[in-house]
Amino acid sequence: MSGTAEREVGRSRPRKEDARLLTGQTNWTDNINVGGLLHLAILRSPMAHAHIDRVDVAPALERPGVVAAFSGSDLAEGMGSLPCAWPVTEDIVLPDHPPIAVDEVRYAGDPVAVVVARDRYAAADALEAIEVDYTPLPPVLDLEAALTENSPLVHSDKGTNRSYLWPLKTGEDFDAVRRRAEVTLKRRYVHQRLIANAMEPRGVVVTPLAASGEYTLYSSTQIPHILRIMLAVVTGIPEHKLRVIAPDVGGGFGSKLQVYGEEAIALTVARRLGRPVKWTESRSEGYLATHHGRGMIQDVEIAANRDGRLLGLKADLLVDMGAYLMLVTPGIPILGAFMYPGIYKMGSYELNVTGVFTTKTPTDAYRGAGRPEATYAIERVMDELAVELDLDPVELRRRNWIGHEEFPYTTIAGLTYDSGNYEAATEKALALFDYDKLRAEQADRNRRGDSVRLGIGVSTYTEMCGLAPSRVLRDLRYAAGGWEAASIRVLPTGKVEVVTGTSPHGQGHVTCWSQIAADVLGVPFEDVQVVHGDTRAAPQGMDTYGSRSLVVGGTAIHQAARKVVDKARKVAAHLLEASEQDLEFTGGVFSVKGSPDARKTLQELAFETFSSHDLPDGMEPTINAGHVTDPDDFSYPHGTHLCAVEVDTETGRTHIRSYVCVDDVGKVVNPMIVEGQVHGGLAQGIAQALYEEAVYDDQGNLVSGTMADYLVPSAPDLPEFVTDRTETPSTTNPLGVKGVGEAGTIASTPAVVNAVVDALRPLGVTEVRMPCTPERVWRAIEEAST
């Protein structure tokens, strides 16, 4: 690589990962086959809440191909409770969570028995032979009713359905602010449950090595390192005897940020039988058993003066935990707790989060994890306040956002935003959107009483990402740290291996990490190989979630590569008989200042170190290096999203006519990958606004349990997106980068719903509950007209 070669960072490199994916040369968990492999199938409760009176697995053993069958009590001795790593308060109610139910089932889909057979079809067929007797118990479904004195209990031994109450109060007392405010508004917003629908279902393969008591577990997971630790705790298998591998993983969106009962069950069964075991969920099984996202009621109150200046914000949240607290279930709303004030200045903020148990599938992380809910609340209520004050919604935001000259800025919630320029992003978005022209068209349609109304939605957001600072996580009672590890190995031939603790599932880590390392080391992009997702090959790591991979993991790679250069500099100085200070390093070449012919390439130094024939005295024979980074703060991407919808008032159908977003994600490593992440995030955020919802009946049965009932949008359901960027580099990491993986999801939902309500407001509609389906929109119009 010459000194004049194009820099890799900032370049739209096609993804290295894609060739294998497109040609089918992949290693999904379900593709893994080993000698003697057995297949595991799980019998799940058809009832939301019931006592288990009897489980008889003996009839299943008589079915062809069946090797073993187990009830929950059969397996209980080998497994402890599934972990919750985020007990957010000291007095949190934290019930035991058996990987397989023993005495009581608490949601439809709770595992009750297991069959192991020589093929998956025999295992599945044998499930119907298992005999289970239940005594029904009353379901607990409504969040408010669950907290009443006479409500049935999800966990009768706990005496309450309330898991915790987490308060946050900062600034002036909100009651005092309310009394002197010229305008106050109260609104209720409901976030429906969502199901992740990753392209690859969950799957587990366990291969035991009986002679040494070692186990290799392959899982479609986002968190191989965390999973290894937690499974060691749950099963009692020593951590050093357990290897966890995340092979190719086909998407996660938070649903694979989890320690699932199926992983513990498969490991325990493989241990019991001494045979390899595989479990792969069906799509409908995943709807029941993969954790859900969102599920929240928000009561929001905002106080302001008549000129639009915000005074304070109060939010009371009821959050659906589902039947159990999974890995980070209680902490999801806490992640959003600091983001309810958004990008706005105010003097008072109060938040109360109440976690509630229900007899539904447990909830946990879903793309954005708490921050989309926070952004939705503030951006929806800002639009409502704009209507109350007869202000353009963009103008109201201008009067309250943090000015670019005010950064770094400590918000009323206590976070210090390091950089940003909300004005620049908004002005660019307005120009691309042709905002004034659309407003004029909207006014004309309203005057004419057009049956197809035009609505315009605004969302100006920021988020905290790069989930990392370990001391902050400590203060929030999170059990783990937020650091990330990387190491760089320069092979004797000059090729490079980057070992990362992050574990990709579609983000493009292999490509971006290669670009970062190539720039620092001055080696060709093609000469970099990235090793990931294997606790033996990459033993240190905190994995992938919370838009942390680039901000934390990428920084670790950058710093490790700089250490390699520093070590190589010592060898070069020795061989060139020069001082280290007299060496220049450009494009992978060390040269002596003023003597350009005196030079050594990094590749030459790698071989010199390998041979170790002539190294500086006392230097170990390697230029390899590692780094563990723990940032001091989060990063804060931001942006402005604008949506125009056309709503047919006769049918309720909503059509997105145009969508423009301008995001600021700091320095960009690969623009093509950023574009893809934004598009994917927009699709999921729009899906919450218009399409997706996990629906339960009054007995706690999931009635949207297949893709025929749960509406996942496809490409024809989505508009052509117009995207652009502004750039204010982060000051909290040396790369200047901010997260992008969740930004589109966080910003888009309120933009779309604001547009729908804006279209219908002249008809008297002030709220449409998500998802804004044609039926709900039509009913809202009808109710407003009567």
Side-chain angles (χ1 to χ4, degrees):
M1 187 182 217
S2 70
T4 58
E6 181 183 353
R7 284 186 58 82
E8 287 293 339
V9 171
R11 188 176 177 186
S12 285
R13 277 278 192 182
R15 300 197 328 169
K16 283 185 174 182
E17 300 91 324
D18 288 348
R20 289 189 307 106
L21 300 176
L22 293 171
T23 57
Q25 299 177 69
T26 50
N27 192 34
W28 311 117
T29 302
D30 194 46
N31 290 351
I32 296 168
N33 288 294
V34 295
L37 183 67
L38 299 175
H39 294 265
L40 187 149
I42 297 173
L43 182 68
R44 300 184 181 277
S45 169
M47 308 183 73
H49 199 195
H51 187 271
I52 301 174
D53 300 321
R54 181 180 71 98
V55 179
D56 186 0
V57 300
L61 294 170
E62 300 174 4
R63 292 295 183 95
V66 172
V67 174
F70 304 99
S71 67
S73 58
D74 293 333
L75 295 176
E77 186 178 340
M79 294 186 291
S81 177
L82 293 175
C84 174
W86 205 337
V88 295
T89 63
E90 189 173 348
D91 60 350
I92 188 172
V93 175
L94 189 60
D96 286 341
H97 184 184
I100 181 169
V102 177
D103 301 314
E104 194 170 313
V105 292
R106 294 183 170 89
Y107 65 97
D110 215 351
V112 295
V114 173
V115 169
V116 187
R118 292 187 177 89
D119 67 68
R120 68 176 60 186
Y121 306 106
D125 289 345
L127 291 179
E128 65 185 22
I130 297 174
E131 299 174 2
V132 185
D133 293 336
Y134 299 98
T135 297
L137 296 170
V140 180
L141 305 170
D142 181 89
L143 294 180
E144 292 177 301
L147 297 176
T148 60
E149 185 176 353
N150 297 321
S151 172
L153 297 176
V154 180
H155 299 275
S156 58
D157 60 321
K158 299 303 181 183
T160 180
N161 288 321
R162 189 175 79 177
S163 175
Y164 67 88
L165 171 63
W166 190 91
L168 177 64
K169 293 185 180 182
T170 62
E172 187 180 354
D173 179 71
F174 187 81
D175 289 337
V177 167
R178 183 194 291 119
R179 286 192 294 270
R180 66 180 175 82
E182 296 172 345
V183 179
T184 60
L185 290 179
K186 292 183 180 180
R187 294 291 186 269
R188 169 167 282 201
Y189 303 121
V190 178
H191 291 258
Q192 74 273 35
R193 279 172 166 252
L194 301 175
I195 301 174
N197 280 288
M199 187 173 289
E200 180 203 16
R202 291 187 295 125
V204 185
V205 174
V206 180
T207 59
L209 187 60
S212 59
E214 295 179 76
Y215 300 85
T216 299
L217 182 142
Y218 301 85
S219 180
S220 178
T221 182
Q222 298 175 216
I223 53 168
H225 298 89
I226 295 172
L227 182 60
R228 180 194 192 200
I229 296 167
M230 294 303 187
L231 285 179
V233 172
V234 171
T235 65
I237 295 172
E239 186 183 349
H240 67 292
K241 297 286 189 178
L242 180 58
R243 177 185 185 184
V244 175
I245 299 174
D248 292 320
V249 177
F253 313 115
S255 72
K256 295 174 183 174
L257 165 56
Q258 194 55 265
V259 179
Y260 280 107
E262 292 86 355
E263 290 159 327
I265 291 168
L267 185 54
T268 300
V269 169
R271 186 185 197 183
R272 183 80 61 92
L273 300 179
R275 296 273 299 275
V277 170
K278 177 190 284 189
W279 171 79
T280 304
E281 72 177 1
S282 66
R283 183 66 67 179
S284 57
E285 188 178 20
Y287 274 53
L288 288 171
T290 297
H291 75 241
H292 294 176
R294 310 290 192 257
M296 178 187 293
I297 298 172
Q298 302 169 318
D299 288 309
V300 181
E301 184 174 1
I302 196 165
N305 287 330
R306 276 286 166 196
D307 63 0
R309 303 293 175 180
L310 298 183
L311 300 177
L313 179 72
K314 182 177 187 290
D316 294 312
L317 314 181
L318 291 180
V319 187
D320 190 348
M321 304 284 97
Y324 295 101
L325 303 183
M326 298 193 76
L327 189 64
V328 291
T329 302
I332 296 304
I334 311 308
L335 277 175
F338 301 94
M339 302 310 299
Y340 278 79
I343 66 173
Y344 307 115
K345 295 180 286 188
M346 61 188 73
S348 173
Y349 174 48
E350 180 178 334
L351 178 78
N352 297 290
V353 183
T354 302
V356 184
F357 290 115
T358 62
T359 53
K360 299 179 185 178
T361 301
T363 60
D364 209 303
Y366 181 91
R367 196 172 189 169
R371 288 101 77 210
E373 297 94 311
T375 300
Y376 186 86
I378 186 63
E379 289 304 296
R380 284 288 293 114
V381 82
M382 285 294 282
D383 260 36
E384 295 296 303
L385 181 61
V387 172
E388 179 71 17
L389 298 173
D390 196 24
L391 284 174
D392 182 275
V394 175
E395 176 57 28
L396 177 63
R397 288 163 169 81
R398 281 197 184 102
R399 295 185 186 186
N400 288 285
W401 63 38
I402 302 158
H404 69 274
E405 72 284 352
E406 297 179 86
F407 290 96
Y409 184 90
T410 300
T411 73
I412 188 65
L415 298 177
T416 299
Y417 297 171
D418 62 316
S419 67
N421 191 328
Y422 309 138
E423 304 97 305
T426 302
E427 290 308 313
K428 180 175 279 193
L430 291 172
L432 291 169
F433 192 64
D434 210 346
Y435 184 81
D436 292 338
K437 183 177 180 180
L438 282 168
R439 282 293 185 200
E441 180 185 343
Q442 179 188 44
D444 181 60
R445 287 196 188 197
N446 290 342
R447 278 193 303 270
R448 290 187 285 106
D450 199 324
S451 63
V452 178
R453 295 300 176 102
L454 178 65
I456 297 167
V458 181
S459 175
T460 51
Y461 80 100
T462 188
E463 63 146 326
M464 54 185 279
C465 63
L467 189 63
S470 295
R471 292 181 180 180
V472 173
L473 296 178
R474 172 203 63 193
D475 294 343
L476 294 174
R477 301 180 61 87
Y478 183 59
W483 50 265
E484 194 49 80
S487 60
I488 307 287
R489 300 194 291 245
V490 186
L491 305 179
T493 56
K495 308 303 181 184
V496 175
E497 290 179 336
V498 172
V499 181
T500 177
T502 66
S503 185
H505 42 282
Q507 294 88 343
H509 290 185
V510 171
T511 302
C512 290
W513 290 189
S514 296
Q515 289 178 273
I516 292 169
D519 269 358
V520 177
L521 300 175
V523 300
F525 169 81
E526 295 78 11
D527 285 359
V528 182
Q529 180 78 16
V530 178
V531 178
H532 60 80
D534 182 340
T535 60
R536 182 167 293 172
Q540 276 190 294
M542 291 301 292
D543 305 317
T544 296
Y545 42 86
S547 297
R548 71 186 301 273
S549 293
L550 177 58
V551 175
V552 192
T555 293
I557 289 162
H558 175 82
Q559 299 292 58
R562 290 182 62 177
K563 288 182 177 180
V564 168
V565 174
D566 290 342
K567 293 175 80 170
R569 185 184 298 275
K570 296 182 183 298
V571 180
H574 175 76
L575 295 175
L576 294 172
E577 298 181 344
S579 70
E580 292 181 41
Q581 292 73 25
D582 287 339
L583 293 184
E584 295 177 329
F585 181 68
T586 305
V589 178
F590 289 97
S591 60
V592 180
K593 295 176 184 176
S595 303
D597 292 336
R599 63 201 303 271
K600 287 285 183 182
T601 66
L602 189 73
Q603 290 88 341
E604 290 172 323
L605 295 171
F607 193 83
E608 293 280 0
T609 308
F610 166 71
S611 70
S612 67
H613 291 169
D614 188 9
L615 296 181
D617 291 341
M619 183 176 180
E620 60 180 348
T622 180
I623 58 173
N624 298 341
H627 188 83
V628 179
T629 190
D630 195 348
D632 295 327
D633 204 347
F634 304 98
S635 73
Y636 301 95
H638 69 84
T640 296
H641 288 224
L642 301 170
C643 178
V645 301
E646 292 182 322
V647 181
D648 189 327
T649 60
E650 296 176 351
T651 65
R653 180 179 181 270
T654 297
H655 166 70
I656 298 179
R657 174 166 145 181
S658 61
Y659 196 102
V660 168
C661 63
V662 175
D663 295 295
D664 190 322
V665 297
K667 291 286 186 180
V668 172
V669 173
N670 188 312
M672 184 186 301
I673 288 177
V674 166
E675 192 83 355
Q677 289 279 5
V678 170
H679 280 217
L682 293 176
Q684 281 189 271
I686 291 169
Q688 179 176 2
L690 297 180
Y691 300 111
E692 296 187 23
E693 182 176 21
V695 179
Y696 286 84
D697 67 15
D698 59 5
Q699 295 302 307
N701 300 302
L702 182 67
V703 296
S704 57
T706 71
M707 282 190 170
D709 313 295
Y710 184 95
L711 186 56
V712 180
S714 61
D717 299 308
L718 299 170
E720 290 288 331
F721 302 121
V722 176
T723 64
D724 208 335
R725 291 187 300 278
T726 55
E727 184 181 295
T728 54
S730 174
T731 63
T732 63
N733 64 78
L735 292 171
V737 296
K738 304 176 182 180
V740 67
E742 295 164 306
T745 308
I746 289 167
S748 57
T749 307
V752 174
V753 177
N754 277 341
V756 172
V757 175
D758 184 60
L760 301 178
R761 203 179 297 277
L763 304 177
V765 175
T766 59
E767 178 64 13
V768 180
R769 181 173 165 177
M770 295 187 291
C772 302
T773 61
E775 180 184 357
R776 282 189 176 155
V777 170
W778 182 85
R779 288 189 182 278
I781 295 169
E782 289 297 300
E783 289 171 7
S785 69
T786 58

